[in-house]
Amino acid sequence: MPLIIGVPRETFSGETRVATVPEVVQKLKKQGYQVVVEAGAGALANIGDDGYREAGAEVLASAREVWSKADIIFKLRRPDADEINLLKDGGTLVSYIWPAQNPQLMEQLAAKKVTVLAMDSVPRISRAQKMDALSSQANIAGYRAVIEAANAFGRFFTGQITAAGKVPPAKVFVIGAGVAGLAAIGTAANLGAIVRANDTRKEVADQIVSMGGEFVPVNYEEDGAGTGGYAKVMSEGFQQAQRETFAQQAKEVDIIITTALIPGKPAPKLITADMVKSMKPGSVIVDLAAEQGGNCELTVPGEVAVAHGVTIVGYKDLPCRLAKTASTLYATNLFRLSEDLIKTKSVEPESDAGKAAIHLNMEDEVVRCTTVINQGEVTWPPPPPKLSAAPAAAPKAAVPAPAAHGHGPSTSVSSPTRVAVMFAVAAALFGLIGYGAPSDFLGHFTVFVLGCFIGYMVVWNVTPALHTPLMSVTNAISSIIVIGALIQVAPPLSADITRPEMLIKGMAAVAIALTAINMFGGFAVTRRMLEMFRKN
């Protein structure tokens, strides 16, 4: 009997998203799951019940039916008290949980002997990117933040010069260059604004520039990179220098978008009331950290406030304002997680007449971090993430032991001696070959040996990662080959041409053709690579 995935309607006030969409239901069905959806679950995301039915899901009239029938519940918001009562013992819940902020919720869920996978606890490693719901929703929040700023701002983002007058471009300052910050930078730059950004992690400076922004550094040497891709709490000296930088930017820019959050901690206050007061009238602040208290001292979570002529947008539901797109991305994250769950699905004869059961592989880093409760046992927090090992230090060269006194000389030959012997042998062979060869053979043979040496040093002896940048060098060598081949082909064919001359001309023609392909192909590849790094 297949496992049943249940998708109830979200009851949290203002929540418009839904945990799955018809396109993903079809994929879940192909994996062997059955899907049941509460009637009206997708209404606020413009997804009707008929769409779910056509995709193969069963639409049930009430939430109680969904919770009682489903083996696995897909949700967005953490469950409230009524939903916890509906969750059947031994079931599985996949949702946002925020275990650090909700210890009481963890106790209630553990008492139900359920298994809970927290989408907010997916580790931020390359292998888990497809399940990273925080990033997928933060991307939407960053985009929507710019749209809200444009709505509240009384001017174009892009500069214009018209017959009616000149409009300067808007200046946008983004604090924090995580997923949301980078999305905001890209969106504002695409709208034509002058974008500046700051982040405590130095390695994101190139990412800011690649998205069309300008990195604004803080005049203080300290790296803010923490574990798991997040920033860490900075020292008081850095924070003071940071405040000075932000105060200067507040006087210059028209829009500030703040995204600074540290997991498990209240949002840091980065924009003070004095900074807001120094901004130009009509300026806008969009605080993406409003749900955790806000990065601005004057933010009113969930509302739009006006202080000193500055509009401060403190919405806590930015992804919900793009409900269908946000639901689709979140549903895809859940589907990718279900792919890992299906790998551990097995049939137990003693359980529910052979109903499939899920056994989580707690040795898998992604599953281990995501699972906060396993069959009633609290497994959060997970062990520290496995960081990439530092490159091993190069082993010291072994020092050959000196020959014991009175036991004769050492049998090992030193490196300079070995090289001298090799050169002596090569010179002897070269002399023997030249002694019996035609007079002009020696010159050709020398060119051949040098050509082999150059080819070895330029291509064969170079790490594959550098082959493409070496296109310019290999093209230069190809040019030399083409010139030599043209010289061989250039003289007109005479009536008494010999067979060797005909062979040489044929080989030269083939060399021209092959080398031309290499040259033009190399230039084409190099041009395509450069286009990847060129701003449109």
Side-chain angles (χ1 to χ4, degrees):
M1 214 177 147
L3 287 168
I4 300 175
I5 293 176
V7 181
R9 182 171 55 86
E10 298 293 328
T11 60
F12 188 85
S13 177
E15 181 58 72
T16 60
R17 296 169 293 177
V18 62
T20 197
V21 297
E23 297 86 347
V24 174
V25 169
Q26 294 176 344
K27 297 177 182 179
L28 291 170
K29 295 281 289 184
K30 290 179 181 178
Q31 282 187 335
Y33 293 102
Q34 288 186 6
V35 182
V36 295
V37 181
E38 182 184 352
L44 296 179
N46 296 318
I47 304 173
D49 293 341
D50 290 339
Y52 287 112
R53 291 191 183 97
E54 292 172 3
E58 180 183 359
V59 179
L60 302 179
S62 67
R64 182 175 295 276
E65 293 180 76
V66 173
W67 286 84
S68 62
K69 189 171 184 178
D71 303 299
I72 305 172
I73 293 292
F74 280 180
K75 269 184 60 61
L76 273 147
R77 297 284 183 167
R78 59 182 182 269
D80 56 26
D82 293 336
E83 290 174 324
I84 293 175
N85 291 331
L86 292 175
L87 183 61
K88 64 183 182 181
D89 293 349
T92 300
L93 172 66
V94 185
S95 176
Y96 284 115
I97 299 295
W98 304 107
Q101 291 89 342
N102 298 286
Q104 185 177 0
L105 173 63
M106 293 286 287
E107 293 176 4
Q108 294 172 341
L109 291 171
K112 297 282 288 186
K113 303 298 180 184
V114 297
T115 297
V116 180
L117 286 83
M119 294 304 291
D120 48 87
S121 297
V122 174
R124 285 192 162 177
I125 59 177
S126 298
R127 187 165 60 87
Q129 285 182 351
K130 59 185 179 181
M131 312 171 200
D132 190 354
L134 289 179
S135 292
S136 69
Q137 302 303 297
N139 181 40
I140 295 173
Y143 169 83
R144 185 69 190 193
V146 176
I147 302 303
E148 295 294 340
N151 180 58
F153 189 52
R155 212 171 69 219
F156 297 130
F157 264 49
T158 184
Q160 290 190 9
I161 299 177
T162 68
K166 178 181 177 182
V167 180
K171 294 180 181 179
V172 179
F173 181 51
V174 179
I175 299 176
V179 176
L182 291 174
I185 293 168
T187 305
N190 289 337
L191 288 176
I194 298 173
V195 186
R196 305 168 184 171
N198 170 268
D199 196 283
T200 57
R201 298 162 296 174
K202 297 179 181 179
E203 66 269 17
V204 303
D206 290 339
Q207 299 176 30
I208 291 171
V209 174
S210 69
M211 295 299 293
E214 174 192 350
F215 180 66
V216 178
V218 173
N219 189 23
Y220 194 95
E221 287 298 323
E222 183 177 352
D223 189 10
T227 59
Y230 296 97
K232 68 177 183 181
V233 179
M234 307 301 289
S235 67
E236 181 56 38
F238 181 91
Q239 293 180 30
Q240 178 59 36
Q242 187 182 57
R243 284 190 288 268
E244 293 174 1
T245 300
F246 292 171
Q248 181 62 35
Q249 292 298 318
K251 297 175 182 178
E252 299 178 6
V253 302
D254 305 298
I255 296 169
I256 296 178
I257 298 175
T258 68
T259 70
L261 276 175
I262 298 174
K265 297 182 180 295
K269 300 299 181 184
L270 303 177
I271 302 299
T272 64
D274 288 338
M275 294 181 195
V276 175
K277 191 174 183 180
S278 70
M279 295 180 72
K280 292 173 282 189
S283 298
V284 178
I285 297 175
V286 181
D287 195 339
L288 269 69
E291 193 164 8
Q292 299 297 325
N295 294 137
C296 177
E297 286 185 349
L298 303 181
T299 296
V300 179
E303 299 181 12
V304 177
V306 178
H308 308 294
V310 177
T311 301
I312 305 172
V313 179
Y315 292 143
K316 299 189 291 184
D317 59 350
L318 289 177
C320 298
R321 293 170 182 266
L322 290 172
K324 189 167 186 178
T325 300
S327 298
T328 301
L329 295 182
Y330 183 74
T332 302
N333 295 140
L334 292 177
F335 166 69
R336 296 303 182 188
L337 179 62
S338 71
E339 287 182 319
D340 276 12
L341 295 182
I342 200 88
K343 296 174 185 176
T344 62
K345 193 169 71 172
S346 62
V347 175
E348 290 184 346
E350 68 274 15
S351 63
D352 291 341
K355 172 169 281 194
I358 287 180
H359 297 280
L360 300 176
N361 178 16
M362 301 301 278
E363 299 298 322
D364 184 293
E365 183 178 7
V366 176
V367 174
R368 175 64 186 86
C369 291
T370 307
T371 305
V372 296
I373 299 177
N374 186 15
Q375 298 178 357
E377 179 187 354
V378 176
T379 58
W380 188 90
K386 298 176 182 178
L387 301 178
S388 301
K396 295 182 179 180
V399 179
H405 182 70
H407 289 78
S410 172
T411 56
S412 63
V413 182
S414 64
S415 179
T417 304
R418 187 184 301 114
V419 172
V421 171
M422 290 175 61
F423 270 102
V425 173
L429 291 175
F430 190 73
L432 290 173
I433 293 173
Y435 180 76
S439 58
D440 56 348
F441 173 79
L442 199 58
H444 293 306
F445 185 73
T446 303
V447 173
F448 172 75
V449 171
L450 291 176
C452 292
F453 176 76
I454 293 174
Y456 172 79
M457 296 302 295
V458 170
V459 179
W460 189 263
N461 197 35
V462 176
T463 177
L466 298 178
H467 278 170
T468 304
L470 284 169
M471 283 293 183
S472 59
V473 178
T474 55
N475 280 338
I477 297 175
S478 298
S479 302
I480 297 173
I481 296 173
V482 167
I483 293 172
L486 288 173
I487 293 174
Q488 296 295 328
V489 173
L493 297 175
S494 58
D496 58 345
I497 186 171
T498 62
R499 187 178 298 274
E501 291 177 347
M502 179 65 77
L503 180 62
I504 291 173
K505 292 182 183 295
M507 292 178 64
V510 172
I512 292 173
L514 295 178
T515 309
I517 293 173
N518 179 60
M519 289 172 59
F520 289 108
F523 283 124
V525 171
T526 303
R527 182 178 180 82
R528 290 182 63 183
M529 284 191 62
L530 293 175
E531 289 293 337
M532 294 172 61
F533 299 96
R534 187 170 292 143
K535 182 180 176 182
N536 293 329

